[in-house]
Amino acid sequence: MEAQAINPHFPTTLNSKNRNFMAKITCFPQSPTWVSCKSHNLSFVPEFGTSLKKDLSLRSSCVVKAKVGSDGGEELGEGVSRKNLAVFVSGGGSNFRSIHEAILDGRINGDIVVLVAKCGGANYARNKGIPVIVFPKTKSGSEGLSPHDLVSALRKFKVDNVLLAGFLKLIPAELIRAYPKSILNIHPSLLPSFGGKGYYGMKVHRAVIASGVRYSGPTIHFVDEHYDTGRILAQRVVPVLVTDTAEELAARVLQEEHQVYVEVAAALCEERIIWREDGVPLIRSKDDPDKFS
Ligand code: GAR
């Protein structure tokens, strides 16, 4: 997805793959079978692809609603192609599995085309027929790709977006340059608190409890060349109970992670992420396209 800086009150299409929609028309899915398309100039309507042309109906002077087909990836209309996702894991891979389950259920308009793993999650992926590549290189150097080869491999798999799901290594600058505004990470605290180098997994939850804060929860953010400093896209709040152990808090946060990552991945694959003019990414609501979170 090629994102643009736009004002959410004057939305512009984010789709870069279909020239028919570029800059002239805003398209956003409202349900699995309908998309709304706003045009500043309805003379552009004939430029729609054929499947949209068939069912165009006016909703107001400047809003066109189009019913779209029911054949898999085309459900969201010609403006929203199905996305190819790479998921990166280091450990257990429960976020990876919940995203994969949501794809199988039809909740995410994308496919995991490759798992990048040290080891965790790999057996599940192989059993599901998802190719696995190892990154970074192992200490002996016998296995694992270099950053350069990783980027080439992701290109070969035609990856649109990268989802880090418990991947604990710093993402090489080469990969960030190759996938600008396209890599997301989930972190188990409310960033910018309890983030940065050394804050991962259970260490985060121990620090949260020791600090005495009463709320924690996952953050999903775009990835830059540092640990946990990229633009925040979504957060969920969970209470920190006075009797919590780090394990209990981790389990409560992880449950929320599974939900929020699926919601965010769905928004990403439906091209509902837009960039406010000050650089903050927002998610456009599926139910009400004028609402953002
Ligand atoms: C998750 O809690 C995730 O937020 C965290 O690792 C866990 C992976 O769980 N990530 C970090 O700490 C990144 N700094 P999973 O492998 O079961 O999805």
Side-chain angles (χ1 to χ4, degrees):
M1 182 176 73
E2 192 178 276
Q4 305 167 7
I6 67 170
N7 181 334
H9 301 295
F10 298 95
T12 311
T13 182
L14 296 182
N15 176 48
S16 60
K17 288 191 175 166
N18 186 333
R19 287 173 171 272
N20 292 332
F21 292 169
M22 276 186 74
K24 301 161 187 168
I25 296 167
T26 301
C27 270
F28 32 85
Q30 294 191 320
S31 75
T33 50
W34 288 90
V35 292
S36 242
C37 303
K38 283 186 186 176
S39 168
H40 302 297
N41 180 348
L42 286 178
S43 66
F44 288 122
V45 168
E47 293 183 28
F48 281 175
T50 45
S51 70
L52 286 176
K53 245 191 223 166
K54 272 188 217 153
D55 293 294
L56 290 177
S57 62
L58 290 179
R59 198 174 69 175
S60 76
S61 61
C62 66
V63 178
V64 176
K65 222 177 175 188
K67 193 169 186 187
V68 294
S70 57
D71 52 344
E74 296 307 313
E75 274 203 340
L76 292 166
E78 292 191 359
V80 183
S81 59
R82 204 166 168 83
K83 301 295 179 285
N84 287 339
L85 306 172
V87 178
F88 285 41
V89 302
S90 291
S94 69
N95 277 290
F96 157 56
R97 289 195 298 277
S98 80
I99 291 168
H100 185 250
E101 280 161 20
I103 286 172
L104 296 181
D105 287 355
R107 283 177 282 152
I108 296 176
N109 179 42
D111 298 293
I112 300 173
V113 293
V114 61
L115 179 81
V116 177
K118 275 173 70 186
C119 52
N123 284 339
Y124 173 90
R126 288 196 185 97
N127 289 338
K128 300 286 177 188
I130 298 170
V132 178
I133 55 183
V134 177
F135 176 81
K137 270 194 183 310
T138 53
K139 279 203 178 115
S140 67
S142 60
E143 242 196 316
L145 300 182
S146 67
H148 179 79
D149 290 343
L150 174 66
V151 171
S152 305
L154 297 182
R155 293 266 190 244
K156 270 194 201 136
F157 282 106
K158 298 191 186 322
V159 167
D160 296 303
N161 290 96
V162 172
L163 305 178
L164 308 185
F167 187 74
L168 303 181
K169 294 279 176 194
L170 194 63
I171 292 299
E174 202 167 339
L175 180 55
I176 290 162
R177 279 197 299 273
Y179 284 91
K181 290 181 169 175
S182 304
I183 308 175
L184 289 175
N185 179 44
I186 189 156
H187 182 80
S189 75
L190 294 171
L191 291 175
S193 296
F194 309 105
K197 194 169 165 49
Y199 279 108
Y200 58 86
M202 215 50 78
K203 291 187 184 193
V204 175
H205 303 296
R206 279 192 212 109
V208 165
I209 291 171
S211 75
V213 295
R214 302 301 203 266
Y215 295 97
S216 188
T219 299
I220 293 179
H221 63 94
F222 281 92
V223 173
D224 61 16
E225 31 316 271
H226 309 288
Y227 282 108
D228 305 325
T229 56
R231 289 292 193 167
I232 291 172
L233 177 62
Q235 293 188 306
R236 293 291 183 274
V237 176
V238 304
V240 180
L241 305 182
V242 291
T243 56
D244 265 349
T245 62
E247 287 73 17
E248 286 164 343
L249 177 59
R252 197 176 306 119
V253 171
L254 192 61
Q255 212 177 355
E256 209 59 44
E257 289 185 37
H258 295 161
Q259 289 182 26
V260 69
Y261 220 170
V262 165
E263 285 170 27
V264 167
L268 185 72
C269 292
E270 291 169 16
E271 300 180 6
R272 285 189 287 112
I273 294 174
I274 63 154
W275 293 79
R276 208 168 64 186
E277 276 162 356
D278 61 1
V280 172
L282 305 173
I283 296 176
R284 190 195 296 277
S285 158
K286 193 167 179 151
D287 301 324
D288 182 349
D290 293 327
K291 285 214 175 113
F292 302 83
S293 58

